[in-house]
Amino acid sequence: MLLAVAAFGIAFFCLTLWCAVTVARMRDLPTWRRFLPLALFLIAAGASLLRAFDIPEVANAIAFPLNLAVVVLSLREIRNRRRRPQEVRCVVGEGNGAGA
């Protein structure tokens, strides 16, 4: 059981890191929107490190909600970016059909 919990924790950590880095690499977003997930991830990692200094209350209260916010914000930005080119293609396609 402990192995399953550890595997889930590592997988969630990797997902959070991948999401934050993916959004940080999107050049078309404003700077604050690009680096907000990465900043929240770093704050959550710092809060998780408080467990090493025997302050688990802060880590339990802050770390997981911030990690969850990173995943939600990042997935929203990634989905919005995937939708944008499709909308542009539809507009361009309609314009070409009307002019021909």
Side-chain angles (χ1 to χ4, degrees), residues 2 7-9 12 14 19 23 36 39 43-45 48-49 57 60-61 65 70 76 84 86 88 90-91 94-96:
L2 184 60
F8 176 76
F12 190 73
C14 291
C19 286
V23 172
L36 179 63
I43 292 169
S48 292
L49 288 176
E57 297 85 15
N60 293 337
V70 168
R76 188 189 71 170
R84 271 186 253 145
Q86 293 174 354
V88 171
C90 292
V91 171
E94 292 171 4
N96 287 339

Side-chain angles (χ1 to χ4, degrees), residues 64-83:
F64 185 71
L66 283 178
N67 282 328
L68 197 59
V70 168
V71 171
V72 169
L73 286 173
S74 298
L75 289 178
R76 188 189 71 170
E77 292 294 344
I78 292 168
R79 287 183 182 150
N80 284 341
R81 183 178 179 158
R82 288 182 181 168
R83 287 182 186 156

Side-chain angles (χ1 to χ4, degrees), residues 9-73:
I10 291 170
F12 190 73
F13 175 81
C14 291
L15 172 71
T16 307
L17 182 62
W18 175 80
C19 286
V21 170
T22 300
V23 172
R25 293 174 55 198
M26 293 180 183
R27 300 280 182 200
D28 55 335
L29 292 176
T31 305
W32 70 272
R33 280 177 53 191
R34 280 185 12 209
F35 292 108
L36 179 63
L38 189 59
L40 291 176
F41 173 74
L42 292 175
I43 292 169
S48 292
L49 288 176
L50 289 175
R51 289 186 180 109
F53 297 104
D54 291 331
I55 310 174
E57 297 85 15
V58 176
N60 293 337
I62 293 177
F64 185 71
L66 283 178
N67 282 328
L68 197 59
V70 168
V71 171
V72 169
L73 286 173

